């Protein structure tokens, strides 16, 4: 935990999102190449906001209008940074660019499933992280929120995510029937 804290919330969020993407994409039968591109995209999806993400997460007030603009523009800014660093994979760049976009007509049609998975994983991980302005949501609550108002395609992804992580993923604190507290150590057979 200390190393993750030192690495920054942005790095922790990216790593957790990438793992959730990998597990979910595998459950949905995505091919290995698609999963690799999605994993890489998840690791760098917020590079355009990296310097500001930790500050946003730890400030005790809601984002200012300038910060909201940074949040809105970070996917394109991230693509610009990645291109400047020599990233040439158009599939990866497309996933990063459109990972927040609800209008699914934008971006490469071949990446639609990857963008949906990343959007779900990103949202799931973010909801489970506490901020100064809100409490962390439980894994069960974060999973349930993926189903609210979801399209059939998004429900399919939410179901796969719930199946691979369970409602109590490893690392989750739980209270047992005998009132003892415990930490979930591994995923079970069912959600």
């Amino acid at each position: 935990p200390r190393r993750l804290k030192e690495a920054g919330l942005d790095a922790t969020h990216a790593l957790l999102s990438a793992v959730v993407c990998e597990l979910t994409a595998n459950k949905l039968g995505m091919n290995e190449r698609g999963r690799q591109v999605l994993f890489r995209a998840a690791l760098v999806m917020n590079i355009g906001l990296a310097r500001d993400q930790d500050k946003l997460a730890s400030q005790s007030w809601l984002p200012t209008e300038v910060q909201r603009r940074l949040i809105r523009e970070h996917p394109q800014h991230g693509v610009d940074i990645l291109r400047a660093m020599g990233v040439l994979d158009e599939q990866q760049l497309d996933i990063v660019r459109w990972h927040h976009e609800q209008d699914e007509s934008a971006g490469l049609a071949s990446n639609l499933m990857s963008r949906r998975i990343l959007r779900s994983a990103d949202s799931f991980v973010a909801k489970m992280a506490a901020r100064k302005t809100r409490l962390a949501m439980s894994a069960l609550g974060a999973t349930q929120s993926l189903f609210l108002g979801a399209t059939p395609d998004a429900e399919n992804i939410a179901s796969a995510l719930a199946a691979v992580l369970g409602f109590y993923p490893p690392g989750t604190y739980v209270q047992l029937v005998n009132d003892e507290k415990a930490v979930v150590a591994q995923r079970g057979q069912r959600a």
Side-chain angles (χ1 to χ4, degrees), residues 95-131:
I95 295 167
V96 170
R97 171 62 185 97
W98 302 108
H99 77 276
H100 280 296
E101 186 61 48
Q102 296 294 325
D103 176 5
E104 295 186 335
S105 65
L108 300 173
S110 60
N111 275 341
L112 184 56
M113 178 65 76
S114 293
R115 291 192 310 267
R116 287 175 178 162
I117 292 170
L118 182 54
R119 190 168 38 250
S120 295
D122 184 21
S123 175
F124 176 80
V125 171
K127 288 177 180 178
M128 289 181 52
R131 302 287 185 256

Side-chain angles (χ1 to χ4, degrees), residues 109-170:
S110 60
N111 275 341
L112 184 56
M113 178 65 76
S114 293
R115 291 192 310 267
R116 287 175 178 162
I117 292 170
L118 182 54
R119 190 168 38 250
S120 295
D122 184 21
S123 175
F124 176 80
V125 171
K127 288 177 180 178
M128 289 181 52
R131 302 287 185 256
K132 293 264 184 172
T133 56
R134 65 167 170 77
L135 296 174
M137 195 178 275
S138 70
L140 180 59
T143 302
Q144 288 173 331
S145 74
L146 295 177
F147 288 95
L148 297 176
T151 64
D153 291 323
E155 282 183 5
N156 187 37
I157 291 168
S159 293
L161 189 150
V164 297
L165 292 180
F167 296 125
Y168 305 100

Side-chain angles (χ1 to χ4, degrees), residues 21-181:
C21 283
E22 169 60 23
L23 294 170
T24 304
N26 190 46
K27 176 74 174 175
L28 291 168
M30 185 179 283
N31 65 46
E32 185 175 344
R33 163 80 174 128
R35 291 194 329 266
Q36 289 173 353
V37 172
L38 175 58
F39 191 86
R40 286 194 312 270
L43 288 175
V44 296
M45 69 179 160
N46 291 333
I47 195 169
L49 192 61
R51 292 185 178 173
D52 299 295
Q53 193 168 6
D54 285 348
K55 181 181 178 191
L56 284 163
S58 62
Q59 71 187 31
S60 57
W61 58 90
L62 295 173
T64 65
E65 188 53 43
V66 170
Q67 290 172 322
R68 284 190 189 100
R69 190 177 75 246
L70 285 171
I71 293 166
R72 277 191 311 273
E73 295 174 358
H74 86 271
Q76 180 58 57
H77 184 55
V79 168
D80 296 341
I81 292 169
L82 292 168
R83 283 189 195 282
M85 293 173 66
V87 175
L88 302 174
D89 187 329
E90 290 300 323
Q91 299 285 321
Q92 180 183 351
L93 295 170
D94 176 75
I95 295 167
V96 170
R97 171 62 185 97
W98 302 108
H99 77 276
H100 280 296
E101 186 61 48
Q102 296 294 325
D103 176 5
E104 295 186 335
S105 65
L108 300 173
S110 60
N111 275 341
L112 184 56
M113 178 65 76
S114 293
R115 291 192 310 267
R116 287 175 178 162
I117 292 170
L118 182 54
R119 190 168 38 250
S120 295
D122 184 21
S123 175
F124 176 80
V125 171
K127 288 177 180 178
M128 289 181 52
R131 302 287 185 256
K132 293 264 184 172
T133 56
R134 65 167 170 77
L135 296 174
M137 195 178 275
S138 70
L140 180 59
T143 302
Q144 288 173 331
S145 74
L146 295 177
F147 288 95
L148 297 176
T151 64
D153 291 323
E155 282 183 5
N156 187 37
I157 291 168
S159 293
L161 189 150
V164 297
L165 292 180
F167 296 125
Y168 305 100
T172 303
Y173 291 97
V174 292
Q175 186 165 350
L176 304 176
V177 175
N178 65 3
D179 284 336
E180 290 182 7
K181 293 197 183 346

